Amino acid sequence: MATRKLEPGDRLPSFTELAERFGVATMTAQKAVGVLRDEGLVVTRQGRGTFVRQRTERAVGLRPHVEQAFESGDVSIDFAGFSAETLHGVVQEPLDKIRAGRIGAKSVTIRILLPDLSQSIGLPSLAEGGGTDSSEVRKRMSRIVSRSTQSIADAVEELAALKLIEAGRAEVRVFQTSPLFKLYLLNRTEAFFGFYPVVRHSVAIKGEPVEIFDPMGKDATLFHWAATEDPDAIPTQYVSEAQSWFDSVWNSVAKEYAL
């Protein structure tokens, strides 16, 4: 792991394989992996093995974890964020692999929780005046949101229609908030959380350059938490609380977004 021969998301050899490789008893190999787990370097998923984890990684590092989630049979992905652009980027390849018969997922459920861009919002906003709400800036972002979410929904629904999965649905709900962070929840056992850095840059509004303050999801550093078999472990509690937060917003103030 230190030399990057094993990358985040890679599976460790079995206890038997480790014992044979290093000429030790299987129990010794098991204890060694336990030390790595206690130090937060690996995470064990019941029935699937032990995997290298990384406490902090950028969004691109999310991909191997998402692909593993798609190998679980019944896939559940919850996302809270701004535009769902990065979500579209990381689920596109696994969905293509299902279509090609390379992943045998049985069902796919994706829930997407986003800001309501039909109402005044703190971000994104005009840089002029120190962050003034603009309907034109929100309309620009709404078009981006529509492209990302519609593409995800179309891909999932197509797989279900073609009977490549037993069931598939992608839902989008919005609520009144400003996008300050992004959250991914994979199969209710892993959480990726990161804050949006606010960047001042120029975008085209009605063909003219306009300076805005924009939360940039591609620049967000994600913190990874994976639930373990210990209910009192901090990672387990973090994933549980993050999932509870998502469910509470989804089932209360969030309203359906028309795709």
Side-chain angles (χ1 to χ4, degrees), residues 78-104:
D78 292 333
F79 171 80
F82 186 14
S83 68
E85 276 190 293
T86 53
L87 173 65
H88 175 248
V90 297
V91 302
Q92 187 173 16
E93 186 172 350
L95 292 173
D96 286 342
K97 286 184 176 180
I98 293 176
R99 187 178 293 104
R102 296 167 58 192
I103 293 180

Side-chain angles (χ1 to χ4, degrees), residues 181-223:
F181 63 87
K182 64 167 58 179
L183 171 69
Y184 295 85
L185 293 160
L186 310 182
N187 291 336
R188 307 180 83 88
T189 60
E190 290 185 88
F192 288 80
F193 178 90
F195 293 102
Y196 284 122
V198 179
V199 177
R200 177 171 179 159
H201 67 125
S202 181
V203 298
I205 303 291
K206 293 185 176 180
E208 298 294 331
V210 175
E211 291 283 313
I212 69 169
F213 289 126
D214 201 4
M216 299 297 287
K218 294 179 181 178
D219 296 333
T221 297
L222 296 178
F223 293 83

